[in-house]
Amino acid sequence: MLNEGVLVIGGGVAGMQAAIDIAASGREVALVDKDKSLGGHVKEYGALFPDLTVGSTLVKQKAQIIKENSKITVMLGTEVDKLQQADGTIIASFLSSGNPKEQIFTAAVIATGFDNFNGKKYGEYGYGRYPGVITGIDFEHQEEAILKRPIKTAVFIKCVGSRDRSKGMPYCSKICCMYTAKQALELKKAQPKAQVYVFYMDIRSNFKNGEEFVRGAMENQHVKYIRGRVGKVIPTNGRLLIRAEDTLMGVPLELEADLVVLATAMVPSQSTNSLVSQVGGKLDTNGFILPIPMAESENPMSLTKGIFYAGACGFPCDVKDALNQGSAAAAGVLGYLQSNRGAAK
Amino acid sequence: MEEYQRLSLIDPQRVANLPTPDKLFLFLSCTGSIEYPGTERAVRIVGEKLGIEFVESVDQTCCTGYMLTCNAVNPQLALASTSRNLSIPQEMGLDVGVFCNGCYGYLRELAHLLHSNPAFKEVGDKANEALGREKFRGHLKIYHVQELWYKQLEKLTSLVKRPLTGLKIAAHYGCHYLANKDVAIDDAQYPTFHEEIYKALGATPVVYKERRACCGYSVGRGFTHREETVLPHITNKMLSAAAAGVQLMTTTCPGCNTALDREQKTITARGNAVSIPVIDLSQLIAFALGAPVEQLGFKANTTPVLPVLERFIK
């Protein structure tokens, strides 16, 4: 039925945006996600920097547009098992509650997103052991409950799984500086008397208004930024003892906290690898999609003939960037269908 | 303790890959054999119970690690010694068992350097040639006995003759085993496998605040730092163990054992009375397996050991 349609793999914000933009041209789109609902990670996020749009609100709004567009068929609880290119078409095999099904498409967008770094890999922080230690993602999921807890002191630890070669994670996950500042701000607003510390290596707030946002947290809300790594978290007297170094002052320091939030990294999604390799695409050394050099591709989101990608399966990105990439990939698909594929026929 | 086991970061694959050997070359530790001769004996006793025969060689010399740490020897000398020392088990066709974290770390590291850098290998080869020994080929495996004991934990449990019921034991893991992150069986920052062993012996594991603090041995008793740098650090560690109700502490490194046991006299003399016997994990296991206590060499300890173990001896 959909054999002139476009396949979008991944129903996170990047995939949703790609589906919306492709369908706006009047083409049929199949939007597939292995999850039971659309919205990927973002549906469980609270306020998103820098304009503090709520993640779930954004997802609801995009889902509503998709629902109202009869050109988009949403296939939830469905995994793309095989993806092949043949004679200018793309053949996808789906697995939906164990039943395989095959379908032909004209083009595809891979938007398989990312996974969260497992905070337990840092034994020194005791994530999964000490009740007061959570990840930034947990903070988003349980925001309401966390902000109601009595907190005298909270400590945010950045770069947990980012820029740490000893953990095999050399890259910067990009968004953690911003979401940490946002979470610190929210905590400070909910509990103005709480002492909030952020331990950082560098502050990389290079987004539109990012620098001002972080400065605002420091200067207006008095979030205390300390440059240095936290070496250990030790449960003491029902609280959490933080041992760290202030590398600007050159002194070791200790403080007791009630809440420790680990800014865990974004890691490549498990499903990206098999899909990309099946269509002859490549991954970089970190497991994200290896882009085609800028001057060699017609569209920045091109992967291989008729296949595009968008969002964090390419590299960690913020929500705004994921939406941008979704739109860019959609433009790539439409351009491809108008010219390349027509010419081939 | 249940919670610690449930949240263990022990790598099951690495444990599964460990062997259950019949025979190993026992790499002797200078510090171990001089300071606490009972440790070496205990390793043999536990090995015997588990069916591991340990053979040694009078030709083996120091691993050179401590000298290297303190910059007291030329690294070339360390490479040549390691190449020579490891050519001994190689000639016997045996893998190596080590009971000192220091020997373990340095042997592995230096063996890796010898194996992967032709210039370093040549240094070792020349030494072995001059001494009429085989060239070190770098294929033999080096194990710390603590991991081999853990591998056979079930068997150990079945062999316990003196269940250490009610004894509150705390671990000092030391740095130089767990720092080998590509091979160590547990997480460097939150290890739990010693606690599992205590439990298997019937004892009560105690987690104390400073459990992952360094023993201070190579900085405190060596050439590099003075007493006032290291003593507050060890004092802090031992006082936190005392506050947690620790009755006995174990190590897997004679260097750590020396620092934590011998320095208690100084800590006490400086006004913080502390008395927690510190013994090697192998000594503890051998004791629980029923080894004659006079063979375990507890008289070598500065902080008396028998007061806490006496009640388990029939």
Side-chain angles (χ1 to χ4, degrees):
Chain A
M1 179 185 78
L2 271 169
N3 56 9
E4 279 301 307
V6 177
L7 171 65
V8 177
I9 307 167
V13 286
M16 289 168 96
Q17 186 64 47
I20 289 169
D21 290 344
I22 296 165
S25 76
R27 288 185 185 269
E28 299 274 346
V29 179
L31 178 60
V32 179
D33 199 290
K34 62 178 193 286
D35 211 348
K36 295 267 182 284
S37 61
L38 288 174
H41 293 274
V42 178
K43 66 175 175 287
E44 295 180 57
Y45 289 172
L48 305 168
F49 68 85
D51 64 11
L52 305 185
T53 298
V54 175
S56 53
T57 310
L58 173 72
V59 167
K60 270 181 208 149
Q61 182 249 346
K62 297 285 176 197
Q64 189 59 32
I65 299 173
I66 288 169
K67 200 177 166 188
E68 284 166 8
N69 192 328
S70 62
K71 295 283 178 192
I72 306 176
T73 309
V74 177
M75 299 160 72
L76 295 172
T78 305
E79 263 188 89
V80 178
D81 185 32
K82 281 186 197 139
L83 196 64
Q84 291 164 292
Q85 289 158 306
D87 303 328
T89 62
I90 287 149
I91 307 161
S93 311
F94 299 114
L95 274 180
S96 178
S97 42
N99 302 321
K101 183 177 138 192
E102 210 164 76
Q103 207 165 320
I104 298 168
F105 297 93
T106 52
V109 176
I110 295 176
T112 39
F114 65 97
D115 288 340
N116 292 312
F117 179 80
N118 180 1
K120 284 184 188 165
K121 287 186 181 171
Y122 283 75
E124 59 268 49
Y125 299 151
Y127 177 65
R129 290 203 165 84
Y130 314 144
V133 182
I134 62 170
T135 66
I137 304 305
D138 298 333
F139 189 103
E140 292 298 319
H141 291 183
Q142 312 151 20
E143 194 177 308
E144 220 172 300
I146 288 163
L147 295 181
K148 277 183 196 153
R149 276 192 215 172
I151 295 168
K152 271 193 213 155
T153 308
V155 166
F156 288 82
I157 305 176
K158 290 211 270 188
C159 301
V160 178
S162 296
R163 302 175 68 198
D164 187 347
R165 287 189 291 180
S166 74
K167 292 282 187 290
M169 303 285 292
Y171 61 91
C172 165
S173 284
K174 244 169 92 176
I175 63 162
C176 322
C177 281
M178 291 306 296
Y179 80 65
T180 297
K182 186 217 66 170
Q183 290 172 351
L185 258 180
E186 282 174 340
L187 192 58
K188 204 65 189 164
K189 279 180 183 161
Q191 303 194 31
K193 283 185 182 161
Q195 295 287 327
V196 180
Y197 295 88
V198 177
F199 284 88
Y200 68 97
M201 283 203 256
D202 292 295
I203 300 171
R204 296 184 164 178
S205 54
N206 46 352
F207 295 93
K208 184 176 167 69
N209 300 331
E211 180 69 15
E212 297 92 316
F213 190 84
V214 175
R215 281 273 157 207
M218 290 180 197
E219 291 167 6
N220 305 331
Q221 298 294 336
H222 307 289
V223 176
K224 296 189 175 78
Y225 273 68
I226 299 175
R227 201 189 83 178
R229 282 301 270 185
V230 172
K232 280 182 176 62
V233 175
I234 302 167
T236 315
N237 312 326
R239 301 183 82 198
L240 297 159
L241 176 73
I242 312 296
R243 285 226 172 105
E245 187 185 3
D246 181 334
T247 54
L248 291 180
M249 299 299 286
V251 291
L253 60 87
E254 281 191 356
L255 53 96
E256 279 189 12
D258 314 291
L259 177 73
V260 172
V261 186
L262 311 179
T264 44
M266 295 165 89
V267 299
S269 149
Q270 288 295 323
S271 40
T272 310
N273 187 7
S274 88
L275 289 176
V276 168
S277 53
Q278 283 182 54
V279 295
K282 286 195 178 118
L283 298 181
D284 64 22
T285 51
N286 297 322
F288 294 106
I289 291 175
L290 184 72
I292 299 170
M294 285 185 282
E296 291 170 26
S297 60
E298 282 179 30
N299 180 282
M301 308 320 293
S302 287
L303 180 65
T304 58
K305 194 172 155 55
I307 299 186
F308 298 79
Y309 70 94
C313 58
F315 193 67
C317 63
D318 64 319
V319 173
K320 184 71 169 41
D321 195 12
L323 294 170
N324 292 349
Q325 291 187 31
S327 282
V333 166
L334 298 176
Y336 165 79
L337 293 178
Q338 283 296 344
S339 57
N340 300 37
R341 190 162 179 269
K345 269 184 174 176
Chain B
M1 189 58 207
E2 302 304 327
E3 195 185 4
Y4 288 100
Q5 271 193 345
R6 186 162 53 81
L7 295 164
S8 150
L9 294 176
I10 296 168
D11 187 330
Q13 196 54 50
R14 288 187 186 172
V15 177
N17 289 344
L18 287 171
T20 48
D22 307 325
K23 201 171 175 182
L24 279 179
F25 179 81
L26 184 63
F27 194 95
L28 300 181
S29 148
C30 306
T31 312
S33 303
I34 294 165
E35 298 271 1
Y36 302 100
T39 303
E40 189 185 313
R41 184 65 183 265
V43 170
R44 289 178 189 284
I45 292 170
V46 180
E48 195 184 311
K49 304 260 186 196
L50 293 177
I52 307 172
E53 183 194 345
F54 284 108
V55 292
E56 59 180 68
S57 163
V58 289
D59 285 342
Q60 183 222 310
T61 61
C62 170
C63 75
T64 69
Y66 188 56
M67 296 294 154
L68 205 55
T69 317
C70 302
N71 266 335
V73 296
N74 182 331
Q76 284 213 347
L77 189 61
L79 287 166
S81 301
T82 304
S83 188
R84 182 188 161 282
N85 274 335
L86 292 178
S87 78
I88 299 167
Q90 179 179 290
E91 283 173 14
M92 294 175 172
L94 293 175
D95 286 331
V96 180
V98 176
F99 61 88
C100 166
N101 283 354
C103 297
Y104 178 84
Y106 283 105
L107 282 180
R108 283 200 71 97
E109 194 168 334
L110 290 161
H112 170 76
L113 292 175
L114 285 165
H115 188 54
S116 50
N117 185 319
F120 293 160
K121 187 174 180 332
E122 206 189 322
V123 174
D125 288 351
K126 271 190 186 163
N128 281 332
E129 204 181 345
L131 295 163
R133 304 208 68 96
E134 271 184 15
K135 284 179 184 174
F136 173 55
R137 297 193 298 276
H139 64 285
L140 55 73
K141 302 272 196 305
I142 298 159
Y143 303 105
H144 194 299
V145 294
Q146 60 180 313
E147 56 191 14
L148 301 178
W149 302 160
Y150 182 74
K151 166 83 178 181
Q152 300 205 46
L153 190 58
E154 268 179 42
K155 192 167 176 189
L156 276 183
T157 314
S158 72
L159 292 169
V160 171
K161 293 280 185 316
R162 293 183 185 128
L164 304 173
T165 316
L167 186 62
K168 291 182 173 174
I169 311 183
H172 171 80
Y173 285 83
C175 303
H176 292 254
Y177 170 73
L178 293 172
N180 292 270
K181 69 184 173 71
D182 296 327
V183 282
I185 58 168
D186 207 347
D187 184 77
Q189 292 292 347
Y190 211 107
T192 50
F193 75 109
H194 288 185
E195 279 82 356
E196 279 189 45
I197 294 176
Y198 304 155
K199 246 188 124 182
L201 305 179
T204 309
V206 180
V207 173
Y208 60 109
K209 185 177 152 194
E210 304 292 347
R211 75 198 278 269
R212 289 298 296 128
C214 164
C215 71
Y217 177 68
S218 70
V219 290
R221 293 180 69 93
F223 316 122
T224 51
H225 289 72
R226 293 156 68 109
E227 181 191 299
E228 53 268 36
T229 307
V230 77
L231 207 62
H233 172 84
I234 313 182
T235 304
N236 198 21
K237 183 175 174 90
M238 297 315 287
L239 290 181
S240 93
V246 174
Q247 295 169 324
L248 178 78
M249 192 180 285
T250 72
T251 65
T252 42
C253 173
C256 298
N257 213 95
T258 307
L260 299 178
D261 171 40
R262 305 267 187 253
E263 295 296 348
Q264 287 187 44
K265 216 173 167 179
T266 324
I267 296 170
T268 303
R270 299 283 188 277
N272 288 296
V274 59
S275 178
I276 299 173
V278 185
I279 63 173
D280 192 274
L281 181 64
S282 297
Q283 285 177 298
L284 180 78
I285 297 172
F287 179 78
L289 300 195
V293 73
E294 60 278 7
Q295 289 185 9
L296 297 175
F298 293 138
K299 283 182 185 162
N301 288 53
T302 301
T303 310
V305 179
L306 285 179
V308 300
L309 292 184
E310 239 158 15
R311 66 185 167 104
F312 303 105
I313 307 168
K314 272 175 198 156

